[in-house]
């Protein structure tokens, strides 16, 4: 047993020394710069590699690699590119009601939340005694009118002078104008709705002394004529026109409305090189409110027969060429990967327009493209 242990130990030491000698031999041969010795060592190593390859082939470890991917067939489609920008919901029919004639509010006919129609009486202020002035002016007018009619009859009968006739006519007209002026002043004491809508808030009480002020008497709002106002970079001047369709998304409502450009500004703001636009927005459910923030997607480019691919499948090689992998030699659900250089256009909604390089019926790899190479066999 002792002899066996000694022989085993000696064998291990000899193998280690032999390995060390070979390593030193390789290092020393390279360091000697002896071409013949180096060539001979290379031949020895190549012989060993050949033996290793033969052993691996017998073990069948060099099998063909097959990649599992997802692929989709392309089709012509409509491609829309959008300019995305934020705007604010507005309405032209959102005003503070002010009294035209200051005074004591003797009548208040509405309350907050009430719907009103155009011309409806909302309230009335005290006329300050003008009703009595109107009664007196009307009496004076009736007298002047009677006097004129009598003077006219006399003048038609060639009785009296022309001056008397003209004076009577002038007095009647003057009295008539006085009546009209006083009526116009009294009419200003009546507060009417300028348009149909809803009384949003009322800021006064009956009996208060009211006059025009920044606060106003009440606010009336009509939500039936809503629009979004925003500013667009001047580079888009030639890409927008009246009637251009716009997607209006309200984050607060998680809802998208279809709007149209109704007005395009004619002035470029020198501070930010932009111009204003207005987009009309339908409000069938009365959910839109002034000053809501909206996200606009304005269509500025359309290709009705475009080839598009998911933006994430487009890769770039060392030469800065954009490429995708297509599936060729398709047999059922198998095929061969082919690297195809493509020219890209614009991107929108996570897809990119392909201007050249792909046919409409090409099959492209959509998932697993980063793990394959040109010529690799694919299952999809």
């Amino acid at each position: 047993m002792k002899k066996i242990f000694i022989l085993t130990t000696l064998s291990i030491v000899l193998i280690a020394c032999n390995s060390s000698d070979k390593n030193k031999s390789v290092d020393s041969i390279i360091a000697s710069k002896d071409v013949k010795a180096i060539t001979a060592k290379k031949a020895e190593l190549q012989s060993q590699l050949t033996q290793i390859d033969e052993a691996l082939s017998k073990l069948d470890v060099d099998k063909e690699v097959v990649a599992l991917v997802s692929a989709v067939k392309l089709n012509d489609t409509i491609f829309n590119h959008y300019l995305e920008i934020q705007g604010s919901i507005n309405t032209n029919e959102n005003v503070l009601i002010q009294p035209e004639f200051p005074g004591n509010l003797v009548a208040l006919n509405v309350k907050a939340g009430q719907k009103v129609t155009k011309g409806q009486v909302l309230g009335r202020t005290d006329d300050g005694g003008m009703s009595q002035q109107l009664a007196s002016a009307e009496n004076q007018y009736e007298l002047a009118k009677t006097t004129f009619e009598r003077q006219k009859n006399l003048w038609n009968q060639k009785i009296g002078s022309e001056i008397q006739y003209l004076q009577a006519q002038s007095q009647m007209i003057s009295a008539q104008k006085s009546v009209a002026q006083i009526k116009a002043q009294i009419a200003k004491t009546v507060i009417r709705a300028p348009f149909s809508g809803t009384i949003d808030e009322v800021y006064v009480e009956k009996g208060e002394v009211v006059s025009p002020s920044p606060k106003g008497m009440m606010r009336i709002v009509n939500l039936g004529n809503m629009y979004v106002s925003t500013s667009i970079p001047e580079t888009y001047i030639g890409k927008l026109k009246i009637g251009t369709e716009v997607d209006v998304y309200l984050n607060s409502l998680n809802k998208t409305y279809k709007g149209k450009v109704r007005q395009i500004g004619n002035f470029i703001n020198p501070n930010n090189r932009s111009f204003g636009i207005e987009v009309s927005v339908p409000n069938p459910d009365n959910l839109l409110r002034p000053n809501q923030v909206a996200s606009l997607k304005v269509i500025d480019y359309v290709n009705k027969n475009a080839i598009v691919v998911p933006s994430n499948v487009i890769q770039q090689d060392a030469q800065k060429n954009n490429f995708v992998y297509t599936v060729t030699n398709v047999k059922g659900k198998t095929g061969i990967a082919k690297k195809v250089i493509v020219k890209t256009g614009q991107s929108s909604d996570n897809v990119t327009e392909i201007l050249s390089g792909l046919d409409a019926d090409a099959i492209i790899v959509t998932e697993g493209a980063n793990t394959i190479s040109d010529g690799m066999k694919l299952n999809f």
Side-chain angles (χ1 to χ4, degrees):
M1 186 68 182
K2 184 176 182 181
K3 289 181 179 180
I4 295 173
F5 175 75
I6 293 171
L7 288 173
T8 303
T9 304
L10 288 173
S11 298
I12 294 173
V13 172
L14 287 172
I15 292 171
C17 291
N18 188 41
S19 176
S20 177
D21 289 341
K22 285 186 177 180
N23 288 336
K24 289 182 180 179
S25 178
V26 171
D27 294 337
S28 62
I29 289 172
I30 294 174
S32 68
K33 298 183 180 180
D34 186 340
V35 176
K36 290 183 178 181
I38 294 174
T39 302
K41 193 64 179 177
K42 178 181 178 183
E44 179 186 348
L45 294 174
Q46 286 179 339
S47 176
Q48 293 175 358
L49 288 173
T50 301
Q51 293 176 2
I52 293 171
D53 290 339
E54 290 176 355
L56 288 175
S57 63
K58 292 178 181 179
L59 294 172
D60 197 26
V61 297
D62 191 21
K63 291 185 177 179
E64 184 178 19
V65 177
V66 179
L68 180 63
V69 298
S70 295
V72 65
K73 187 175 181 180
L74 300 179
N75 293 297
D76 287 339
T77 186
I78 298 176
F79 174 78
N80 295 323
H81 183 267
Y82 300 91
L83 164 67
E84 297 190 29
I85 197 165
Q86 281 196 335
S88 178
I89 298 288
N90 287 303
T91 175
N92 288 330
E93 297 181 335
N94 172 25
V95 300
L96 289 172
I97 302 297
Q98 303 281 4
E100 290 188 83
F101 194 86
N104 185 32
L105 186 63
V106 296
L108 180 61
N109 303 331
V110 293
K111 58 184 179 180
Q114 181 175 334
K115 294 185 180 298
V116 296
T117 57
K118 182 178 180 179
Q120 181 175 331
V121 176
L122 308 178
R124 184 169 57 84
T125 57
D126 180 52
D127 60 22
M130 284 192 297
S131 297
Q132 290 79 5
Q133 294 179 26
L134 176 62
S136 176
E138 287 177 337
N139 288 334
Q140 291 178 4
Y141 168 68
E142 290 298 329
L143 177 60
K145 181 180 179 182
T146 300
T147 302
F148 169 72
E149 289 174 349
R150 289 180 179 180
Q151 192 64 44
K152 182 180 179 180
N153 290 331
L154 292 174
W155 175 250
N156 290 335
Q157 297 175 23
K158 306 300 181 183
I159 300 173
S161 65
E162 183 180 5
I163 294 297
Q164 291 175 323
Y165 168 75
L166 294 176
Q167 286 177 341
Q169 184 183 48
S170 176
Q171 289 174 358
M172 182 195 68
I173 293 174
S174 179
Q176 187 179 33
K177 288 182 177 180
S178 295
V179 170
Q181 288 176 353
I182 296 174
K183 283 184 176 181
Q185 289 296 314
I186 293 176
K188 291 181 179 180
T189 65
V190 180
I191 302 160
R192 298 181 182 274
F195 49 80
S196 298
T198 302
I199 302 300
D200 192 59
E201 291 184 84
V202 178
Y203 305 111
V204 295
E205 297 288 344
K206 181 179 178 181
E208 256 186 71
V209 176
V210 296
S211 62
S213 67
K215 184 179 179 181
M217 291 179 58
M218 61 190 74
R219 179 181 294 277
I220 180 173
V221 180
N222 184 356
L223 301 179
N225 186 22
M226 308 297 286
Y227 67 93
V228 181
S229 59
T230 188
S231 295
I232 301 292
E234 65 176 320
T235 53
Y236 288 87
I237 287 179
K239 299 179 180 180
L240 292 180
K241 61 182 181 180
I242 302 297
T244 297
E245 290 189 354
V246 179
D247 287 341
V248 182
Y249 175 73
L250 278 298
N251 185 58
S252 58
L253 302 175
N254 192 26
K255 190 172 183 179
T256 299
Y257 294 82
K258 293 289 184 181
K260 290 185 178 181
V261 175
R262 74 175 192 182
Q263 181 178 328
I264 299 176
N266 297 313
F267 171 75
I268 300 296
N269 187 332
N271 296 323
N272 56 13
R273 310 308 307 172
S274 66
F275 61 97
I277 66 168
E278 289 184 2
V279 178
S280 60
V281 186
N283 190 20
D285 303 323
N286 283 335
L287 296 176
L288 300 182
R289 297 290 186 274
N291 301 316
Q292 278 180 302
V293 176
S295 297
L296 306 182
K297 293 175 69 175
V298 185
I299 298 176
D300 62 351
Y301 171 76
V302 177
N303 185 346
K304 294 184 178 180
N305 296 294
I307 297 175
V308 299
V309 300
S311 299
N312 62 344
V313 308
I314 300 174
Q315 303 182 62
Q316 197 172 73
D317 59 21
Q319 289 73 41
K320 305 297 183 181
N321 295 317
N322 292 324
F323 71 92
V324 298
Y325 281 111
T326 63
V327 183
T328 60
N329 300 330
V330 177
K331 295 179 181 178
K333 288 295 184 178
T334 65
I336 303 298
K338 181 181 179 182
K339 176 183 175 181
V340 178
I341 304 297
V342 295
K343 182 180 179 182
T344 59
Q346 302 194 62
S347 297
S348 181
D349 289 337
N350 299 318
V351 297
T352 298
E353 179 187 24
I354 301 299
L355 301 179
S356 64
L358 290 178
D359 296 326
D361 59 350
I363 300 175
I364 65 164
V365 177
T366 55
E367 293 184 18
N370 295 327
T371 63
I372 63 177
S373 59
D374 193 28
M376 183 177 288
K377 189 174 182 181
L378 305 176
N379 280 344
F380 62 94

